[in-house]
Amino acid sequence: MASIFRPPYRVSRQFSTQRTLFQRPASPVRELSQSNFTLLDSTEKLEEETLSWYSPDSFCPVRIGEVFQSRYHQIDKLGYGGYSTVWLCRDLQQHAYVALKAFECNSTEGQSETEIYHHLNSLNIVDHAGLPITSPECSFGCLVHPPFGVSLYDFHTQLRAKVFPERIVKLALVHVLALDFLHIEAGIVHTANFEEEEKSSPSPRKIVGDRVIYASRKLKETKQNGRPTLCDFGQARRGSNTYCGDIQPYIYRTPEVLLQMPWNEKVDIWNVGVLTWDLFQQGHLLYARDSDKKSSDAHHLAEMIAIMGPPPKEMLRNSVYATEFFDGEGDWKGAIEIPSRTLEKLEGNLEGEPQRLFLQFVRKMLRWKLEARGSARKLLDDPWLRTP
Protein backbone atom coordinates (compact mmCIF):
# COMPACT_ATOMS: atom_id res chain seq x y z
CA MET A 1 0.00 0.00 0.00
CA ALA A 2 1.24 3.49 -0.74
CA SER A 3 1.28 5.04 2.70
CA ILE A 4 0.87 8.79 3.03
CA PHE A 5 1.79 10.54 6.26
CA ARG A 6 0.06 13.55 7.73
CA PRO A 7 1.33 14.70 11.13
CA PRO A 8 0.78 14.23 13.96
CA TYR A 9 1.41 10.49 14.02
CA ARG A 10 2.61 8.28 16.83
CA VAL A 11 5.85 6.82 15.67
CA SER A 12 8.95 5.05 16.80
CA ARG A 13 11.97 6.33 18.60
CA GLN A 14 15.24 5.65 16.83
CA PHE A 15 17.85 3.43 18.40
CA SER A 16 20.13 5.47 20.63
CA THR A 17 23.64 5.86 19.29
CA GLN A 18 24.98 7.81 22.28
CA ARG A 19 27.10 6.17 24.92
CA THR A 20 25.88 6.47 28.48
CA LEU A 21 27.89 6.49 31.68
CA PHE A 22 26.93 2.94 32.63
CA GLN A 23 26.78 1.36 29.16
CA ARG A 24 27.90 -2.24 29.01
CA PRO A 25 31.01 -3.08 26.99
CA ALA A 26 30.40 -4.04 23.37
CA SER A 27 29.60 -7.68 22.72
CA PRO A 28 32.39 -9.81 21.24
CA VAL A 29 32.03 -10.92 17.64
CA ARG A 30 30.82 -14.51 17.55
CA GLU A 31 32.48 -16.80 15.07
CA LEU A 32 30.36 -18.06 12.19
CA SER A 33 31.37 -20.90 9.95
CA GLN A 34 33.02 -19.82 6.70
CA SER A 35 33.11 -23.36 5.35
CA ASN A 36 30.82 -26.36 4.89
CA PHE A 37 28.29 -24.26 3.01
CA THR A 38 26.53 -25.32 -0.17
CA LEU A 39 28.15 -23.65 -3.16
CA LEU A 40 25.53 -22.87 -5.78
CA ASP A 41 25.97 -22.71 -9.55
CA SER A 42 27.49 -19.32 -10.32
CA THR A 43 25.69 -19.17 -13.68
CA GLU A 44 22.21 -19.49 -12.16
CA LYS A 45 20.56 -16.23 -11.04
CA LEU A 46 19.80 -16.10 -7.32
CA GLU A 47 17.32 -13.88 -5.45
CA GLU A 48 18.07 -10.18 -6.19
CA GLU A 49 19.92 -11.23 -9.35
CA THR A 50 16.58 -12.28 -10.85
CA LEU A 51 15.37 -8.66 -10.87
CA SER A 52 15.38 -7.33 -14.43
CA TRP A 53 17.18 -4.14 -13.33
CA TYR A 54 19.77 -5.89 -11.16
CA SER A 55 23.35 -4.69 -11.46
CA PRO A 56 26.19 -6.17 -9.35
CA ASP A 57 27.51 -2.68 -8.60
CA SER A 58 24.10 -1.43 -7.45
CA PHE A 59 23.51 -3.76 -4.50
CA CYS A 60 25.51 -3.39 -1.31
CA PRO A 61 28.07 -6.25 -1.02
CA VAL A 62 27.11 -7.46 2.46
CA ARG A 63 29.00 -10.53 3.72
CA ILE A 64 27.84 -12.84 6.50
CA GLY A 65 30.30 -12.83 9.39
CA GLU A 66 31.63 -9.33 8.79
CA VAL A 67 30.95 -6.31 11.04
CA PHE A 68 29.26 -3.28 9.48
CA GLN A 69 30.30 0.16 10.79
CA SER A 70 32.21 -1.55 13.62
CA ARG A 71 28.86 -2.25 15.23
CA TYR A 72 26.52 -4.57 13.30
CA HIS A 73 27.70 -8.18 13.09
CA GLN A 74 26.05 -9.67 9.99
CA ILE A 75 24.47 -13.01 10.92
CA ASP A 76 22.20 -14.09 8.07
CA LYS A 77 20.18 -12.92 5.09
CA LEU A 78 16.47 -12.38 5.74
CA GLY A 79 15.40 -11.51 2.22
CA TYR A 80 15.47 -9.03 -0.64
CA GLY A 81 13.18 -6.59 -2.40
CA GLY A 82 13.07 -4.41 -5.47
CA TYR A 83 15.66 -1.97 -4.15
CA SER A 84 17.24 -3.55 -1.07
CA THR A 85 18.46 -6.61 0.76
CA VAL A 86 17.67 -7.29 4.43
CA TRP A 87 20.06 -8.88 6.93
CA LEU A 88 19.85 -10.14 10.47
CA CYS A 89 22.60 -8.51 12.51
CA ARG A 90 23.69 -8.40 16.11
CA ASP A 91 24.10 -4.86 17.44
CA LEU A 92 27.33 -5.22 19.39
CA GLN A 93 26.74 -1.97 21.28
CA GLN A 94 23.13 -2.55 22.28
CA HIS A 95 23.51 -6.34 22.77
CA ALA A 96 20.43 -6.96 20.63
CA TYR A 97 19.45 -8.42 17.28
CA VAL A 98 18.40 -5.97 14.56
CA ALA A 99 17.46 -6.10 10.90
CA LEU A 100 19.66 -4.06 8.56
CA LYS A 101 18.09 -2.99 5.30
CA ALA A 102 20.77 -2.15 2.72
CA PHE A 103 19.48 -0.02 -0.15
CA GLU A 104 20.44 -0.21 -3.78
CA CYS A 105 22.96 2.48 -4.71
CA ASN A 106 21.29 5.86 -5.37
CA SER A 107 17.88 4.29 -4.85
CA THR A 108 15.00 6.78 -5.15
CA GLU A 109 12.85 4.52 -2.99
CA GLY A 110 15.61 4.21 -0.43
CA GLN A 111 16.02 7.96 -0.25
CA SER A 112 12.26 8.40 0.13
CA GLU A 113 12.06 5.80 2.88
CA THR A 114 15.00 7.35 4.72
CA GLU A 115 13.34 10.79 4.58
CA ILE A 116 10.13 9.30 5.93
CA TYR A 117 12.00 7.76 8.87
CA HIS A 118 13.81 11.01 9.59
CA HIS A 119 10.39 12.62 9.81
CA LEU A 120 8.97 9.86 11.99
CA ASN A 121 11.94 9.92 14.33
CA SER A 122 11.74 13.71 14.63
CA LEU A 123 8.34 13.30 16.28
CA ASN A 124 10.08 11.42 19.10
CA ILE A 125 7.16 9.30 20.27
CA VAL A 126 6.92 5.63 21.28
CA ASP A 127 9.42 2.94 20.19
CA HIS A 128 11.07 1.17 17.30
CA ALA A 129 11.41 3.06 14.06
CA GLY A 130 14.12 2.53 11.53
CA LEU A 131 17.40 4.30 12.13
CA PRO A 132 18.86 5.76 8.92
CA ILE A 133 22.61 5.24 8.68
CA THR A 134 25.22 5.56 5.98
CA SER A 135 28.25 3.44 5.36
CA PRO A 136 31.80 4.78 5.14
CA GLU A 137 32.74 1.54 3.38
CA CYS A 138 30.34 2.17 0.50
CA SER A 139 27.84 4.69 -0.82
CA PHE A 140 24.78 2.62 0.04
CA GLY A 141 22.21 3.94 2.51
CA CYS A 142 20.86 1.60 5.21
CA LEU A 143 18.11 1.42 7.81
CA VAL A 144 18.22 -0.44 11.11
CA HIS A 145 14.97 -1.95 12.42
CA PRO A 146 13.95 -4.31 15.15
CA PRO A 147 13.72 -7.74 13.46
CA PHE A 148 10.16 -8.50 12.41
CA GLY A 149 8.40 -11.81 11.93
CA VAL A 150 6.67 -13.05 8.78
CA SER A 151 4.53 -10.73 6.69
CA LEU A 152 0.75 -10.98 6.77
CA TYR A 153 0.95 -12.47 3.28
CA ASP A 154 3.39 -15.20 4.29
CA PHE A 155 1.44 -15.91 7.47
CA HIS A 156 -1.70 -16.18 5.35
CA THR A 157 -0.14 -18.69 2.95
CA GLN A 158 1.01 -20.88 5.85
CA LEU A 159 -2.59 -21.51 6.91
CA ARG A 160 -4.13 -24.69 5.63
CA ALA A 161 -7.45 -23.01 4.84
CA LYS A 162 -5.66 -20.00 3.25
CA VAL A 163 -7.97 -17.63 5.15
CA PHE A 164 -7.64 -15.96 8.52
CA PRO A 165 -10.21 -16.60 11.24
CA GLU A 166 -12.53 -13.62 11.71
CA ARG A 167 -11.03 -12.65 15.07
CA ILE A 168 -7.51 -12.57 13.58
CA VAL A 169 -8.68 -10.39 10.67
CA LYS A 170 -10.21 -7.96 13.13
CA LEU A 171 -7.09 -7.91 15.31
CA ALA A 172 -4.88 -7.24 12.29
CA LEU A 173 -7.14 -4.49 10.96
CA VAL A 174 -7.30 -2.68 14.28
CA HIS A 175 -3.54 -2.23 14.03
CA VAL A 176 -3.34 -1.65 10.28
CA LEU A 177 -6.05 1.02 10.52
CA ALA A 178 -4.36 2.72 13.45
CA LEU A 179 -2.62 5.03 11.00
CA ASP A 180 -2.21 7.68 13.69
CA PHE A 181 0.52 5.48 15.08
CA LEU A 182 2.60 3.58 12.58
CA HIS A 183 4.83 1.27 14.55
CA ILE A 184 3.74 -1.07 17.29
CA GLU A 185 5.35 -4.11 18.82
CA ALA A 186 6.04 -6.72 16.15
CA GLY A 187 6.30 -10.46 16.24
CA ILE A 188 9.99 -10.98 16.86
CA VAL A 189 11.98 -13.42 14.77
CA HIS A 190 13.56 -16.23 16.77
CA THR A 191 16.88 -14.51 16.20
CA ALA A 192 19.09 -16.64 18.42
CA ASN A 193 17.92 -19.72 16.54
CA PHE A 194 18.93 -18.00 13.30
CA GLU A 195 22.43 -17.46 14.58
CA GLU A 196 22.79 -21.05 15.77
CA GLU A 197 21.52 -22.35 12.43
CA GLU A 198 24.04 -20.22 10.56
CA LYS A 199 26.81 -21.67 12.74
CA SER A 200 25.79 -25.27 12.19
CA SER A 201 24.42 -25.01 8.65
CA PRO A 202 25.79 -21.98 6.77
CA SER A 203 23.54 -20.41 4.14
CA PRO A 204 23.90 -21.64 0.54
CA ARG A 205 25.65 -19.09 -1.64
CA LYS A 206 27.19 -18.46 -5.02
CA ILE A 207 30.50 -16.72 -5.60
CA VAL A 208 31.14 -14.59 -8.65
CA GLY A 209 34.52 -12.91 -8.62
CA ASP A 210 34.76 -10.96 -5.38
CA ARG A 211 30.99 -10.96 -4.81
CA VAL A 212 28.94 -13.39 -2.75
CA ILE A 213 25.18 -13.79 -3.30
CA TYR A 214 23.45 -15.57 -0.41
CA ALA A 215 20.21 -17.51 -0.28
CA SER A 216 17.83 -16.13 2.35
CA ARG A 217 17.09 -18.26 5.39
CA LYS A 218 13.39 -18.96 5.61
CA LEU A 219 11.40 -18.02 8.69
CA LYS A 220 9.94 -21.06 10.37
CA GLU A 221 6.32 -21.36 11.39
CA THR A 222 5.67 -20.34 14.96
CA LYS A 223 2.70 -20.21 17.29
CA GLN A 224 4.07 -17.04 18.87
CA ASN A 225 2.90 -14.32 16.49
CA GLY A 226 2.86 -10.69 17.53
CA ARG A 227 0.97 -7.66 16.33
CA PRO A 228 1.34 -6.44 12.74
CA THR A 229 3.74 -3.60 12.00
CA LEU A 230 3.49 -1.13 9.12
CA CYS A 231 6.82 -0.84 7.38
CA ASP A 232 8.55 -0.55 3.98
CA PHE A 233 7.88 3.09 3.13
CA GLY A 234 9.82 3.37 -0.12
CA GLN A 235 6.69 4.49 -2.01
CA ALA A 236 5.30 6.61 0.82
CA ARG A 237 4.35 10.27 0.49
CA ARG A 238 4.08 12.95 3.16
CA GLY A 239 1.22 15.38 3.52
CA SER A 240 -2.37 15.57 2.27
CA ASN A 241 -1.56 16.69 -1.26
CA THR A 242 -2.76 14.91 -4.37
CA TYR A 243 -0.33 12.93 -6.50
CA CYS A 244 -0.22 11.32 -9.92
CA GLY A 245 1.33 8.17 -11.35
CA ASP A 246 1.11 4.41 -11.00
CA ILE A 247 1.37 2.94 -7.51
CA GLN A 248 0.35 -0.26 -5.74
CA PRO A 249 0.45 -3.91 -6.82
CA TYR A 250 -1.76 -4.25 -9.87
CA ILE A 251 -4.76 -6.03 -8.34
CA TYR A 252 -4.77 -3.54 -5.45
CA ARG A 253 -4.86 -0.45 -7.64
CA THR A 254 -7.62 2.01 -6.90
CA PRO A 255 -10.11 3.27 -9.50
CA GLU A 256 -8.42 6.69 -9.62
CA VAL A 257 -4.98 5.15 -10.20
CA LEU A 258 -6.39 2.79 -12.82
CA LEU A 259 -8.08 5.70 -14.63
CA GLN A 260 -4.87 7.78 -14.46
CA MET A 261 -6.37 10.42 -12.18
CA PRO A 262 -4.84 12.28 -9.22
CA TRP A 263 -4.88 10.40 -5.90
CA ASN A 264 -4.34 11.09 -2.22
CA GLU A 265 -4.12 9.25 1.10
CA LYS A 266 -7.47 7.52 0.50
CA VAL A 267 -5.66 5.03 -1.76
CA ASP A 268 -4.60 3.37 1.51
CA ILE A 269 -8.23 2.96 2.55
CA TRP A 270 -9.03 1.17 -0.72
CA ASN A 271 -6.01 -1.07 -0.16
CA VAL A 272 -7.21 -1.98 3.32
CA GLY A 273 -10.63 -2.88 1.91
CA VAL A 274 -9.21 -5.23 -0.71
CA LEU A 275 -6.69 -6.62 1.79
CA THR A 276 -9.49 -7.32 4.27
CA TRP A 277 -11.30 -9.38 1.67
CA ASP A 278 -8.21 -11.26 0.54
CA LEU A 279 -7.28 -12.21 4.12
CA PHE A 280 -10.77 -13.39 5.05
CA GLN A 281 -12.06 -14.98 1.85
CA GLN A 282 -10.93 -17.69 -0.54
CA GLY A 283 -9.10 -16.08 -3.45
CA HIS A 284 -8.67 -12.44 -4.43
CA LEU A 285 -11.53 -10.00 -4.70
CA LEU A 286 -10.17 -8.61 -7.99
CA TYR A 287 -8.05 -10.52 -10.50
CA ALA A 288 -7.76 -7.94 -13.29
CA ARG A 289 -6.60 -10.44 -15.91
CA ASP A 290 -7.84 -11.49 -19.32
CA SER A 291 -8.31 -15.05 -20.62
CA ASP A 292 -4.56 -15.28 -21.28
CA LYS A 293 -3.89 -14.30 -17.65
CA LYS A 294 -2.39 -10.98 -18.71
CA SER A 295 -3.07 -7.80 -16.73
CA SER A 296 -6.07 -6.00 -18.18
CA ASP A 297 -7.48 -2.60 -17.20
CA ALA A 298 -10.76 -3.46 -18.93
CA HIS A 299 -11.24 -6.63 -16.88
CA HIS A 300 -10.20 -4.77 -13.74
CA LEU A 301 -12.80 -2.05 -14.28
CA ALA A 302 -15.46 -4.60 -15.21
CA GLU A 303 -14.89 -6.41 -11.91
CA MET A 304 -15.14 -3.11 -10.04
CA ILE A 305 -18.44 -2.32 -11.73
CA ALA A 306 -19.77 -5.75 -10.79
CA ILE A 307 -19.20 -5.17 -7.06
CA MET A 308 -19.79 -1.39 -6.83
CA GLY A 309 -22.07 -0.51 -9.73
CA PRO A 310 -21.11 1.97 -12.46
CA PRO A 311 -18.76 4.84 -11.57
CA PRO A 312 -20.13 8.37 -11.10
CA LYS A 313 -20.30 10.20 -14.42
CA GLU A 314 -18.65 13.31 -13.00
CA MET A 315 -15.67 11.16 -12.04
CA LEU A 316 -15.33 9.83 -15.58
CA ARG A 317 -15.43 13.35 -17.03
CA ASN A 318 -12.16 14.05 -15.18
CA SER A 319 -10.34 11.12 -16.77
CA VAL A 320 -9.14 11.17 -20.38
CA TYR A 321 -8.27 7.48 -20.12
CA ALA A 322 -11.85 6.65 -19.13
CA THR A 323 -12.97 7.23 -22.75
CA GLU A 324 -11.25 3.96 -23.62
CA PHE A 325 -13.93 2.11 -21.63
CA PHE A 326 -16.93 4.46 -21.24
CA ASP A 327 -18.92 6.44 -23.82
CA GLY A 328 -19.78 10.13 -23.67
CA GLU A 329 -22.75 9.40 -21.41
CA GLY A 330 -20.56 7.52 -18.94
CA ASP A 331 -21.94 4.11 -19.94
CA TRP A 332 -19.76 1.01 -20.27
CA LYS A 333 -18.81 0.41 -23.89
CA GLY A 334 -19.08 -3.34 -23.47
CA ALA A 335 -15.71 -4.49 -24.75
CA ILE A 336 -15.61 -6.79 -21.70
CA GLU A 337 -18.73 -8.31 -20.23
CA ILE A 338 -19.51 -7.21 -16.68
CA PRO A 339 -19.18 -10.34 -14.48
CA SER A 340 -22.28 -11.58 -12.72
CA ARG A 341 -20.96 -11.26 -9.20
CA THR A 342 -21.74 -9.33 -6.05
CA LEU A 343 -20.09 -9.15 -2.66
CA GLU A 344 -23.03 -11.11 -1.25
CA LYS A 345 -22.46 -13.93 -3.73
CA LEU A 346 -18.71 -13.94 -3.20
CA GLU A 347 -18.70 -13.85 0.60
CA GLY A 348 -18.50 -17.41 1.91
CA ASN A 349 -17.69 -17.31 5.62
CA LEU A 350 -20.59 -15.52 7.29
CA GLU A 351 -24.37 -15.53 7.37
CA GLY A 352 -27.15 -13.22 8.46
CA GLU A 353 -26.30 -10.17 10.55
CA PRO A 354 -22.53 -10.88 10.79
CA GLN A 355 -22.34 -11.01 6.99
CA ARG A 356 -24.35 -7.80 6.64
CA LEU A 357 -22.04 -5.98 9.05
CA PHE A 358 -18.91 -7.32 7.35
CA LEU A 359 -20.06 -6.26 3.87
CA GLN A 360 -21.11 -2.88 5.23
CA PHE A 361 -17.59 -2.46 6.61
CA VAL A 362 -15.94 -3.42 3.32
CA ARG A 363 -18.22 -1.12 1.31
CA LYS A 364 -17.12 1.86 3.42
CA MET A 365 -13.67 1.41 1.86
CA LEU A 366 -14.50 0.19 -1.65
CA ARG A 367 -15.92 3.37 -3.16
CA TRP A 368 -15.32 4.85 -6.59
CA LYS A 369 -14.74 8.36 -5.30
CA LEU A 370 -11.85 8.64 -2.90
CA GLU A 371 -13.58 11.31 -0.80
CA ALA A 372 -16.45 8.88 -0.16
CA ARG A 373 -14.17 6.31 1.51
CA GLY A 374 -14.18 6.18 5.27
CA SER A 375 -11.28 7.55 7.28
CA ALA A 376 -9.06 5.20 9.24
CA ARG A 377 -10.28 6.72 12.50
CA LYS A 378 -13.95 6.22 11.64
CA LEU A 379 -13.35 2.70 10.38
CA LEU A 380 -11.82 1.79 13.74
CA ASP A 381 -15.24 2.40 15.30
CA ASP A 382 -17.10 0.27 12.76
CA PRO A 383 -19.68 -2.13 14.33
CA TRP A 384 -18.29 -5.23 12.58
CA LEU A 385 -14.72 -4.48 13.61
CA ARG A 386 -15.75 -3.83 17.21
CA THR A 387 -18.02 -6.87 17.53
CA PRO A 388 -16.27 -9.68 19.50
Side-chain angles (χ1 to χ4, degrees):
M1 104 180 32
S3 300
I4 302 177
F5 302 112
R6 294 185 300 173
Y9 284 101
R10 298 184 185 278
V11 295
S12 307
R13 184 175 62 246
Q14 68 184 40
F15 292 104
S16 173
T17 57
Q18 298 178 347
R19 297 185 65 86
T20 62
L21 180 62
F22 302 106
Q23 186 173 11
R24 293 163 56 192
S27 297
V29 176
R30 299 169 180 173
E31 292 296 326
L32 298 176
S33 175
Q34 297 302 317
S35 60
N36 301 322
F37 53 80
T38 300
L39 187 61
L40 303 176
D41 186 349
S42 63
T43 64
E44 294 291 330
K45 292 183 178 181
L46 178 65
E47 302 211 347
E48 61 266 26
E49 291 182 303
T50 62
L51 299 172
S52 60
W53 55 90
Y54 174 80
S55 168
D57 296 330
S58 296
F59 278 73
C60 190
V62 178
R63 285 178 179 263
I64 290 174
E66 294 184 353
V67 178
F68 182 76
Q69 281 203 331
S70 303
R71 175 171 179 174
Y72 302 104
H73 184 210
Q74 290 144 193
I75 303 298
D76 215 334
K77 185 178 180 183
L78 294 174
Y80 74 101
Y83 58 94
S84 64
T85 52
V86 183
W87 306 81
L88 177 68
C89 298
R90 184 169 177 78
D91 184 340
L92 301 179
Q93 292 182 16
Q94 296 294 325
H95 307 274
Y97 290 100
V98 297
L100 186 144
K101 184 173 186 177
F103 294 122
E104 185 181 16
C105 184
N106 299 321
S107 167
T108 301
E109 291 85 354
Q111 181 179 358
S112 174
E113 187 165 8
T114 300
E115 290 172 354
I116 288 294
Y117 275 117
H118 277 305
H119 169 65
L120 296 179
N121 287 327
S122 72
L123 301 181
N124 197 32
I125 309 173
V126 198
D127 281 331
H128 302 327
L131 169 63
I133 60 176
T134 56
S135 166
E137 294 90 356
C138 62
S139 59
F140 304 90
C142 301
L143 288 175
V144 174
H145 288 276
F148 300 149
V150 297
S151 66
L152 272 179
Y153 174 81
D154 289 337
F155 186 27
H156 179 256
T157 58
Q158 289 175 4
L159 301 176
R160 182 174 300 176
K162 304 304 179 187
V163 294
F164 280 133
E166 184 178 5
R167 63 181 181 82
I168 299 299
V169 175
K170 291 179 178 179
L171 175 63
L173 289 175
V174 165
H175 297 299
V176 170
L177 282 169
L179 296 177
D180 59 337
F181 66 98
L182 291 178
H183 281 76
I184 51 183
E185 285 302 315
I188 301 300
V189 177
H190 292 294
T191 47
N193 290 345
F194 256 60
E195 185 169 356
E196 292 304 316
E197 288 175 4
E198 184 60 33
K199 287 180 181 179
S200 61
S201 179
S203 299
R205 65 202 67 181
K206 56 177 288 188
I207 300 175
V208 183
D210 60 351
R211 292 188 63 85
V212 181
I213 307 295
Y214 297 90
S216 303
R217 191 176 298 276
K218 302 297 184 183
L219 293 176
K220 294 182 178 179
E221 294 186 30
T222 175
K223 295 181 179 179
Q224 299 175 339
N225 294 295
R227 299 170 181 178
T229 298
L230 292 174
C231 59
D232 200 359
F233 300 123
Q235 294 292 331
R237 308 289 192 276
R238 281 186 57 194
S240 56
N241 299 325
T242 56
Y243 303 90
C244 296
D246 288 343
I247 55 171
Q248 307 165 310
Y250 193 78
I251 63 172
Y252 286 87
R253 285 186 178 174
T254 63
E256 61 272 20
V257 171
L258 198 62
L259 292 172
Q260 302 177 9
M261 300 172 64
W263 49 268
N264 63 18
E265 74 275 5
K266 287 298 184 72
V267 295
D268 280 346
I269 300 301
W270 174 277
N271 283 168
V272 173
V274 180
L275 174 68
T276 299
W277 189 276
D278 287 358
L279 292 177
F280 191 41
Q281 305 293 320
Q282 292 282 357
H284 295 296
L285 176 61
L286 303 168
Y287 287 91
R289 296 184 182 277
D290 61 20
S291 57
D292 295 324
K293 297 185 178 180
K294 295 180 180 179
S295 299
S296 165
D297 290 351
H299 286 78
H300 204 167
L301 287 167
E303 291 174 331
M304 290 180 177
I305 294 172
I307 63 175
M308 295 189 296
K313 294 182 179 180
E314 64 270 22
M315 177 182 178
L316 298 178
R317 284 195 288 267
N318 294 321
S319 168
V320 174
Y321 188 49
T323 59
E324 297 284 329
F325 312 100
F326 301 89
D327 63 23
E329 299 299 318
D331 296 321
W332 183 248
K333 286 184 176 181
I336 301 299
E337 185 177 353
I338 305 298
S340 178
R341 57 194 303 191
T342 64
L343 294 182
E344 283 78 7
K345 290 180 180 179
L346 295 172
E347 203 291 312
N349 292 335
L350 301 172
E351 295 179 349
E353 184 66 4
Q355 184 189 69
R356 187 189 72 80
L357 290 175
F358 170 69
L359 295 182
Q360 176 182 275
F361 173 71
V362 170
R363 285 190 168 111
K364 290 179 181 179
M365 297 177 279
L366 301 184
R367 301 283 182 90
W368 284 105
K369 299 178 70 173
L370 51 85
E371 60 268 24
R373 295 170 203 153
S375 68
R377 188 174 297 277
K378 288 184 178 179
L379 288 167
L380 281 170
D381 294 324
D382 182 84
W384 175 78
L385 196 59
R386 290 301 180 184
T387 301

